[in-house]
Amino acid sequence: MAFRKAVKGTLIGGGAVATAFGLSQFFEYRKNQPKWARLAYVEAQGELKVPFKDALPTREEQLSTLRNTEEFDVLVVGGGATGSGCALDAVTRNLKTALVERSDFSSGTSSRSTKLIHGGVRYLQKAIMKLDYEQYMMVKEALHERANLLNIAPHLSAPLPIMLPVYKWWQLPYYWAGIKMYDLVAGSQCLKSSYILSKSKALELFPMLKKDKLVGAIVYYDGQHNDARMNLAITLTAARHGAAIANYTEVVHLLKKPDPKTGQEKVCGAHCRDIITGQEFDIRAKCVINATGPFTDSLRKMDSQKTANICQPSAGVHIVIPGYYSPDNMGLLDPATSDGRVIFFLPWEKMTIAGTTDTPTEVTAHPIPLEDDINFILSEVRNYLSPDVEVRRGDVLAAWSGIRPLVTDPNSKDTQSICRNHIVNISDSGLVTIAGGKWTTYRSMAEETLDAAIKAHNLSAGPSRTVGLMLDGGKDWTPTLYIRLVQDYGLENEVAQHLAATYGGRSFEVAKMAQVTGKRWPIVGKRLVSEFPYIESEVQYAIKEYACTAIDVIARRTRLGFLNVQAADEALPRIVEIMGKELQWTEQKKNEELEAAKKFLHLEMGYKARSEQLSKATEISLTAQEIARYKKRFYKFDKESKGFITTVDVQQVLEKLSIHIDENALHEILNEVDLNKNGQVELDEFLQLMCAVQRGQISDSRLAILMKTAEEGLDLRGPVSVDRSGGGV
């Protein structure tokens, strides 16, 4: 009883202080913000010249510019959100700007996020509980950047309501005070006001929620975006304003020259290599910015081998499960998992994302999602969903791991402490490093970095102009733009909505490239796979957006690899065929691209973890009756009792049922179950498959569904009677 009174007193007192503080911030913000924001927006949109409004320079033209320019003002290394943000900030200050990325734009952490644009509810909680002003300012900055990002890329982002379910009465006022404080800190940039829901209303909006002990819920708003496409929009916007950019261009070593005044070695550019052609060249620049995320220390070591490491990487795993696990327009926040981590459960691209974990890891360009992390997320999801919803391992359609580049401040006395925000560091040789931070604050991080670089290198430039600067595709977007695509081009409604939400005002360029289907409807727009709205002309357009590999298309220009690994695998041959024609690939190059993309899906997008679920089912825990039933099904295909089936066996049965499946597709279906990869599916492999299906470890095996359907078809046909067989005379 005393504890409850103490909690109540703390809540009321703390709530009053928080409310008063929040209101003061609110009125201060209302007083100062609109005029400044309006002026910044006018400056950004009205005074900047855009040299490439229509056609972008090709990658070859960009490389030529990088090779032949005598000296740039700024060279940015790293094409993630922060690096691209630095390039955009620099070029819009009229600085001669270059950017190189050793893989594809957004190929690292920036495409593997939780897809949220947020201020950080949990950071605000820490700020209040510990009276931490630094945490508070970090949240305040992020909320301002959240509003700006939603404004400058309306086609790629939107507000998302997120539900926080409450299972104890005393938590309701506690969480409500915290969430209201979140609204108040946002001030005039609050997306929508948070609100409390009763138990019945919470279940109406989120029917999958566990009912037992549910008291009610609180709903607050944050932003959500397509992170890889957002990163690409920033990069392309920088290119349209005149920045020379190139992906698949790695820094081999930094260039240095002695300072004429001091004689000290200063960084003056980088020796680079085009990974695709192998050609090497120098890029000279007055200032080099290190924005390489988890690889921050690698570039710092190029500058000086004695430099101490500052990056402490942490792996965050996410999984994608079918859309029916969550409502279409409501997310879920688990504020306290079994081990204290925060789990988000969010609708995204008509699927559901769950994550993230937070585990120390090694820096790698190809992080792999681990089975333990996948199962941890599934376990936490089960805690919040109704027992009616069976959360199955087999429903995981894709999984990925992103490396969060947590950093220690090299200027701090306590070198072991993690920096909660970001750091900008300038080495003795003049290398500017920006590290840490979060997706949402990429723009303010870039602004701070350029301010520091301009000061350190005496560059001639004005203030940042990126607040309110519309990103590529955002300017001409409207919520009803997709209707024009349907009416003007004859695209399917779902495809038109997808194009508008991906390319914004530039979706008409993609529609113009779409081929005629030969059907009554849709008139144009052949899909890459039937259940997703991605169309073939997007592959052609991806090349204009500097896509160089099949992985670029399935992972970042479209998000197919992140949404459904099997669907991406099915689309690959056609994607490679289209790219091969556009880029004049040889047959050998096509095969290499296909294999590389399959390896990417297998290792980095969770296919390996998924297939291991089948191979781990070594103990066949089926009843004798079930084994007999599945053996009967198996031998309907294995007519000769060989003990294994091949594509020929399956093809023969399907032909009897007038079912036609492409031979290559059939080979892929069997290959999923062929554990020893000998081109055959043995009886024990088939029984392991059915056991895994029973356990819920595999839910969408195409072979299991195909064989069950075929068995039912054969049983329906039944034996042919004597009088109809032509015999018996």
Side-chain angles (χ1 to χ4, degrees), residues 151-162:
N151 179 45
I152 63 177
H155 58 306
L156 292 169
S157 58
L160 176 72
I162 300 175

Side-chain angles (χ1 to χ4, degrees), residues 424-445:
V424 177
N425 174 256
I426 301 176
S427 72
D428 293 338
S429 63
L431 177 67
V432 180
T433 295
I434 170 66
K438 55 197 284 189
W439 222 121
T440 307
T441 57
Y442 84 91
R443 192 213 62 82
S444 59
M445 289 164 59

